[in-house]
Amino acid sequence: MTKLITILNGPNLNLLGQRQPEVYGHATLDDVATTCAAVAAEVGLTSQLLQSNHEGQIIDWIHEARLKAAGIIINPAAFTHTSVAILDALNAYDGPVLEVHISNVHKREAFRHKSYVSLRADGVIAGFGVDGYALAMRRMGSLLAD
Ligand code: DQA
């Protein structure tokens, strides 16, 4: 069976394409899902993209990924900078975890420079726009190649 990559997205990313396009661009989360599915197919994987504005829902999805996903790509959005609970959930997950930020968080406000998720992530991509998701999916292809 083809390995599944779960792509998790945190709060406000449902508004991608409408929200601060000068920071996050014009592509929508549906566009990201389509691109990721195409790249996943190229590297022999499948993908499922999920988004929630609720921390507990993201934690539940990480728990589900323990049973069904070979890897997690996560843009925790604002929870990146606040959520010990998401870090703990990721620490209970065994596969590779790649963290993606559309904007270059290091060029922005100081509170965005701290990431709890980076304490677990095997790789971090920031500032490549939505291309960061496709790059992370390619990296998953290498990490999970048999
Ligand atoms: C973000 C950066 C976060 O600081 C912010 O809260 C977001 C999106 C990014 O993709 O650049 O919502 O994770």
Side-chain angles (χ1 to χ4, degrees):
M1 229 177 66
T2 320
K3 291 174 183 162
L4 174 71
I5 304 302
T6 296
I7 308 163
L8 296 174
N9 292 277
N12 302 304
L13 288 170
N14 53 311
L15 296 180
L16 197 61
Q18 304 168 44
R19 165 201 188 205
Q20 294 181 274
E22 69 287 1
V23 178
Y24 299 113
H26 293 279
T28 66
L29 209 53
D30 280 348
D31 296 332
V32 172
T34 304
T35 304
C36 283
V39 175
E42 256 182 66
V43 298
L45 300 169
T46 55
S47 65
Q48 167 197 43
L49 184 143
L50 302 167
Q51 187 278 330
S52 178
N53 295 324
H54 306 280
E55 189 175 15
Q57 176 64 82
I58 292 168
I59 292 164
D60 288 345
W61 282 334
I62 294 169
H63 293 176
E64 283 173 28
R66 283 161 51 84
L67 306 174
K68 64 177 193 190
I72 294 176
I73 295 172
I74 184 165
N75 182 349
F79 293 148
T80 308
H81 319 298
T82 62
S83 182
V84 176
I86 289 177
L87 170 63
D88 284 350
L90 290 169
N91 278 334
Y93 176 78
D94 286 336
V97 173
L98 300 178
E99 177 181 349
V100 172
H101 298 287
I102 298 163
S103 65
N104 181 1
V105 283
H106 303 290
K107 201 180 168 188
R108 301 180 65 191
E109 303 96 320
F111 66 83
R112 294 187 206 275
H113 300 175
K114 163 92 187 165
S115 166
Y116 286 97
V117 169
S118 289
L119 292 167
R120 166 64 180 88
D122 298 294
V124 182
I125 295 172
F128 284 69
V130 293
D131 292 351
Y133 290 88
L135 292 168
M137 188 60 75
R138 282 196 193 284
R139 176 68 180 151
M140 278 296 178
S142 313
L143 290 173
L144 297 170
D146 334 278

